Structures are given as C-alpha cells and as structure tokens.
Amino acid sequence: MTISRRRVLAAGAAGTAALGLGLGGPARAADDKVIRIGFQKYGTLILLKAKGSLEERLKPLGYRVAWSEFPAGPQLLEALNVGAIDFGSTGEAPPIFAQAAGADLQYVAHEPPAPRGEAILVPRASPLKSVAELKGKKVALNKGSNVHYLLVKALEQAEVPYDAVEKVFLAPADARAAFDGGKIDAWAIWDPFQAAAEVATGARTLVNGEGLVPNHQFYLAARKFSESHGPIVDATIAALAEIDRWIAANPQAAADQLGPATGIPASVIRVAVERQAYGIRSLSPAVVAEQQKIADAFFKLGLLAKPVVIAEFVRKPTG
C-alpha cells in the first residue's frame, strides 16, 4: 500500500483543521468510544452533522462523533485507509480505486441510483452537439470519480476510443475555471457543481447518466471498525435514513441548509437535490454486480493496478 499519512495531509490541505481530528492526535484507544466521520461539502452527511441527530442517537450508547471535511471522495478514502476516519460516503469510483490500492474497507449501505446527477457539459456557445464530436477534444474531470466512469461509458456508446479524447484531470473548482475560461472543450461533472454551471453559464448537457450509469452513492466504513462496532454503524445508517426521509419531504429546506455549506445559492442546490434519489439501504446482489462492472471496466482500461472483487468488501446485512 503506497498511501501515506503525509499524502493524506497534503490531499486534505483544504480542510486541514478538520483533517487534524483524525491525524493530529494519538491513535484510537481501545476504550475510545467515538465514530470519526468524513464528509464532503454536499450530501446527506453534512445535513446529518448540522442536525446533530446522530449525536443524540449515540449518546445513550456512550459514543461521540468527530467530523472531518474532505474535498472529494478519493481523499476521504485515503484518510479511511490510514485510520484517520471510520466512516464516510463517496460515489462509485473512489472505493474501487481504494480497493485496488489495498484499502481494507467495507460497503455498508447505498443510496438509489441518481443518473441525472452527473453529466458531460459543454459551454453554451460550443459547436459540439454530441459525444461523438469529443474525439480529439479536451475533457476535464476529477480522476477516479463517478464521472470518470460516465465518460468511459459515454465514449463507448458513441464508439469513440477512450484514448481518442484528451483527459484533463482537475478538481471541480479548477475545472470550472478552465471551463469558464475556454481552456477545455467539455467537463464531466456532478451535482451541485453541474447545476451551478448550468444556471450560471448556460452550460449545455451533451449527455447525463440516464441509460448509461447508475450513479450510486455508497456509505463506507473501515472494515476493522465495522466489524468491531457494528451497532454504531447500524445506528449511523438509521440516522441517515431519517435524514433521507426529511430531504425527500423538505427539498427546499434541505437546499436552504446546503447552500451556505457549498457557497452555491439555494435555488441552484434545489435543482441538484431534486435530481438525487433517497432511501438508504443495504447492497443488493444487483448493486454489487453493477459496481463490479465498473471495476472491471477500469481494470480493462489499465486504470487499476489489479482487479478487485466487490463482493469481498460488502458488509453482510445485520438483523
């Protein structure tokens, strides 16, 4: 395993104070009753943090919650791998790359598919009208993210070789700057950044995930923590289920809360919220098979150091 504590510190520089919760102090003591959760600026976990309902649920069990913010899924899972956090959420691709790098994680739950929540965008005035026209063009994306697989499948459907487009690997903020500045021809991106580009710039969608990719969100835990603190993982999933139900019933309230956290207007966040799907559940054989297809596709393209078997990393349902 090549991931180091120094690399995690560097990757999380945007959230140094939060990341220090996991790396700055001593290793977890055997009697330290805490679940350390990694979250990103957008999603169900940040709303769970804001409401404090997990803390209330865990207090009778004698546990507390420590929260750490990360810029994206790959950095979050690097932290999970080195023992900085115990639990977090990412899209489909990051855990696959983490597995291939040797991370000992478990898939503990997932959200339903949300294929409209990611897309390949082009500027409003772009002459490009189809994915087939991306041949020879520059496409920005976050390497190892969900949209990496969206690009793979979109090119495959359009019969464009993967190597026939120039991939420009950029984090969302840098990609948005390149997109606005005309430095790239297209941008593979997810919500809420997708919605923000559409509203602010009139960006057009060449293709979204519908009919191509499921775009699941997965909840993941360090295997050691999951196996030794099963009731705490179950309680966290139950608290997330409550938040899911609240978002589904109160999309505007959810958007109002997420807006300040993301720096994106609530009106834009509302678009993203309504493109998501809610209803946390254990992984079914069908979802495991879908995730395996993604892993196999990445390995075939030479993007993984070794093949991975998803089923070996799925937590067995409790109860």
Side-chain angles (χ1 to χ4, degrees), residues 150-198:
L150 172 63
L151 179 62
V152 168
K153 294 303 290 183
L155 293 174
E156 180 183 286
Q157 184 186 64
E159 300 183 344
V160 176
Y162 177 75
D163 292 332
V165 300
E166 182 179 346
K167 276 77 66 181
V168 182
F169 296 124
L170 296 171
D174 294 330
R176 173 64 186 271
F179 187 77
D180 291 350
K183 305 292 186 183
I184 55 175
D185 300 294
W187 182 20
I189 188 59
W190 61 89
D191 274 329
F193 308 107
Q194 172 189 344
E198 291 167 341

Side-chain angles (χ1 to χ4, degrees), residues 52-65 232:
S53 53
L54 179 59
E55 285 82 352
E56 294 177 7
R57 185 181 285 269
L58 294 183
K59 186 179 293 185
L61 301 176
Y63 276 74
R64 60 187 177 88
V65 185
I232 305 307

Side-chain angles (χ1 to χ4, degrees), residues 57-307:
R57 185 181 285 269
L58 294 183
K59 186 179 293 185
L61 301 176
Y63 276 74
R64 60 187 177 88
V65 185
W67 299 90
S68 299
E69 183 181 313
F70 294 87
Q75 294 93 331
L76 187 154
L77 290 182
E78 287 180 357
L80 187 144
N81 182 63
V82 300
I85 60 172
D86 307 305
F87 186 97
S89 175
T90 76
E92 295 154 335
I96 290 171
F97 282 90
Q99 285 176 253
D104 196 18
L105 55 80
Q106 280 192 337
Y107 295 79
V108 300
H110 78 98
E111 302 282 2
R116 295 189 301 137
E118 60 179 1
I120 299 175
L121 304 178
V122 295
R124 178 173 52 189
S126 171
L128 301 178
K129 304 296 183 184
S130 69
V131 174
E133 296 174 87
L134 290 177
K135 188 173 183 179
K137 305 298 184 181
K138 293 182 179 180
V139 182
L141 67 150
N142 197 65
K143 186 177 183 179
S145 66
N146 269 23
V147 294
H148 203 150
Y149 185 59
L150 172 63
L151 179 62
V152 168
K153 294 303 290 183
L155 293 174
E156 180 183 286
Q157 184 186 64
E159 300 183 344
V160 176
Y162 177 75
D163 292 332
V165 300
E166 182 179 346
K167 276 77 66 181
V168 182
F169 296 124
L170 296 171
D174 294 330
R176 173 64 186 271
F179 187 77
D180 291 350
K183 305 292 186 183
I184 55 175
D185 300 294
W187 182 20
I189 188 59
W190 61 89
D191 274 329
F193 308 107
Q194 172 189 344
E198 291 167 341
V199 173
T201 73
R204 293 188 291 106
T205 297
L206 281 187
V207 66
N208 63 24
E210 292 179 298
L212 284 176
V213 297
N215 190 30
H216 284 116
Q217 289 293 310
F218 288 105
Y219 294 98
L220 304 126
R223 186 188 297 271
K224 183 177 180 181
F225 183 87
S226 178
E227 292 181 346
S228 60
H229 298 78
I232 305 307
V233 173
D234 291 340
T236 302
I237 293 170
L240 284 164
E242 289 181 355
I243 296 295
D244 265 6
R245 290 190 290 270
W246 179 80
I247 297 171
N250 303 276
Q252 186 59 55
D256 290 341
Q257 288 197 21
L258 285 167
T262 60
I264 297 173
S267 59
V268 176
I269 294 293
R270 175 70 184 262
V271 175
V273 166
E274 292 183 344
R275 287 199 288 226
Q276 297 304 302
Y278 306 97
I280 190 170
R281 63 199 66 177
S282 299
L283 275 69
S284 67
V287 171
V288 173
E290 288 174 345
Q291 187 73 345
Q292 187 65 53
K293 284 173 59 178
I294 299 173
D296 293 345
F298 282 146
F299 181 69
K300 184 178 179 180
L301 288 168
L303 300 175
L304 301 180
K306 63 180 182 180

